[in-house]
Amino acid sequence: MKILGIETSCDETSAAVVEDGVRILSNIISSQVDVHRPYGGVVPELASRNHLQLIDSVITDALHVSRCTLHDIDAVAATYGPGLASSLLIGLNTGKGIAFAAGKPFIAINHMEAHLYSPVMNAPDALPMISLIVSGGHTILVHVTGIGQYRILGQTVDDAAGEAFDKVAKLLKLGYPGGPEIDRLAKAGNARAIDFPRSMLDDPSYNFSFSGLKTAVLYWLRKHGVVAPVPGARDAAPAAGTAATATRVEDVCASFQEAAVDVLVGKMLRAAEEYRVRTVSASGGVSINSRFREKLAGECATRGLRLLLAPATLCTDNAAMIAALAFHKSASEFSIDVAPSIGLGVPA
Ligand code: KG4
Ligand code: ZN
């Protein structure tokens, strides 16, 4: 069964053809990152306008690369939420229109569930598991017992982890999106240089908080400054400290990243122990982070846990995860509307 998937929930315009929920025949992703970079974040109006301009050619490319015509497609799937309403509308209505015109079933897909499914795609025997969805908009820890069977154990009470990476990168004037830049600079930094707070790590809940960590970085920078200029930074570095007090920007990145990763990994492992699962997985843009992957892989190996991580192209927003998950879902009504704030399940 071949499904054409469409994803436009934020600033990536993507279309893919996936066979039987596992074989990715094409996965075209057109990123708008250059459009939004001058604004330091996604501008919804620009995002929807760009989706509208790109969607036809992205779908045409996805069909072409997969060597399929609409005739070969068994169903059309598109993200209906959560995300930016004006962006979701473009992909959802395009998907519904194509399905209706071609006489195919239409399947509406939850973006968060698709992220969660991406590392499981090739390991359907891995359930039950503890899964972390960690992106620019969400930080959700889930106990997964089956596809569609989710118990949310905890989520962020303020900023998402990716949002914290992006905001700290902004404080350091590293450009947008900040996560990959922090990851890159942290490799040359000392993660023990600054003891940033591990917010809520010792809290008995599985909730997260990243706003305090971001503020701790802000106060550190106000007090100490960082050594400037930073090679590779797009702007001038922030107020430079004196030679005696300034910290290397690489050390700030590494120390911030270590604090964020400690909390993410710490809560995943505690949940795996409490819920007695043998598998853990992570998905979403932040799960690409190299220190996160390294630390999680090391801890899982020590504990004999199986770790599932998707390749980087399936971690950030993409339509392959939408088309893949759709294989497990039944058709939706054509009257289905966008659901910008929809969650994943009922909190525990
Ligand atoms: O999943 P995604 O593409 O979009 C959302 O659904 O939010 O995630 C984007 C987020 C951004 O905050 C970006 O800075 C972060 O993922 N990100 C990273 C890395 N690559 C992307 N954060 C840390 N380290 C990375 N290597
Ligand atoms: Zn996403």
Side-chain angles (χ1 to χ4, degrees):
M1 183 171 176
K2 293 189 180 110
I3 299 182
L4 169 67
I6 299 169
E7 155 64 38
T8 63
S9 66
C10 189
D11 61 339
E12 259 96 30
T13 317
S14 182
V17 177
V18 178
E19 192 171 24
D20 297 339
V22 281
R23 276 181 298 285
I24 300 172
L25 306 182
S26 63
N27 187 22
I28 308 297
I29 305 165
S30 177
S31 172
Q32 301 177 9
V33 88
D34 292 337
V35 174
H36 301 285
R37 181 169 289 127
Y39 306 95
V42 177
V43 183
E45 167 66 25
L46 289 180
S48 56
R49 222 185 292 166
N50 273 273
H51 285 311
L52 203 51
Q53 279 167 1
L54 291 164
I55 191 88
D56 277 356
S57 59
V58 166
I59 292 171
T60 304
D61 284 358
L63 289 170
H64 178 76
V65 171
S66 69
R67 296 171 187 270
C68 289
T69 64
L70 268 183
H71 184 73
D72 307 312
I73 297 295
D74 298 290
V76 182
T79 307
Y80 76 111
L84 299 169
S86 52
S87 288
L88 289 163
L89 274 168
I90 311 294
L92 181 71
N93 286 330
T94 304
K96 285 201 281 187
I98 293 173
F100 188 74
K104 315 274 177 179
F106 176 74
I107 306 164
I109 293 294
N110 180 309
H111 180 83
M112 303 315 296
E113 187 178 5
H115 268 308
L116 188 153
Y117 181 67
S118 55
V120 189
M121 211 182 278
N122 292 306
D125 58 326
L127 304 176
M129 66 178 185
I130 291 295
S131 187
L132 179 74
I133 309 169
V134 63
S135 68
H138 300 269
T139 308
I140 310 179
L141 193 64
V142 192
H143 182 212
V144 184
T145 48
I147 294 171
Q149 291 174 320
Y150 312 118
R151 183 171 186 217
I152 296 183
L153 304 180
Q155 43 196 321
T156 182
V157 296
D158 41 54
D159 292 351
E163 202 178 340
F165 271 88
D166 293 338
K167 285 178 176 170
V168 166
K170 209 167 188 175
L171 293 175
L172 292 167
K173 297 203 164 64
L174 296 178
Y176 167 85
E181 273 298 285
I182 289 187
D183 192 349
R184 189 179 67 77
L185 288 166
K187 289 196 172 89
N190 173 8
R192 294 206 197 109
I194 310 161
D195 189 19
F196 285 128
R198 270 66 175 161
S199 308
M200 294 186 86
L201 181 58
D202 298 323
D203 186 271
S205 80
Y206 287 110
N207 286 334
F208 301 89
S209 166
F210 292 102
S211 155
L213 172 57
K214 170 202 66 192
T215 309
V217 175
L218 172 70
Y219 288 161
W220 177 275
L221 293 176
R222 275 194 194 153
K223 190 162 174 199
H224 302 273
V226 291
V227 172
V230 188
R234 290 191 177 86
D235 292 309
T242 65
T245 61
T247 318
R248 292 168 67 233
V249 71
E250 292 88 343
D251 292 345
V252 179
C253 289
S255 300
F256 157 76
Q257 179 177 273
E258 197 68 17
V261 165
D262 271 356
V263 179
L264 294 170
V265 172
K267 297 237 172 187
M268 288 176 83
L269 296 172
R270 182 154 62 80
E273 201 177 314
E274 184 181 337
Y275 288 87
R276 297 170 189 270
V277 299
R278 302 308 312 152
T279 307
V280 297
S281 74
S283 57
V286 181
S287 75
I288 300 170
N289 183 270
S290 56
R291 179 60 186 143
F292 173 74
R293 289 193 165 214
E294 180 187 50
K295 180 154 184 135
L296 188 58
E299 297 287 353
C300 284
T302 307
R303 291 167 169 76
L305 291 169
R306 181 177 178 188
L307 173 62
L308 301 178
L309 293 168
T313 45
L314 294 183
C315 288
T316 46
D317 290 348
N318 68 90
M321 66 183 188
I322 305 300
L325 177 62
F327 178 69
H328 301 278
K329 301 285 172 183
S330 44
S332 313
E333 298 291 334
F334 276 101
S335 57
I336 189 161
D337 201 359
V338 295
S341 309
I342 195 169
L344 180 68
V346 185

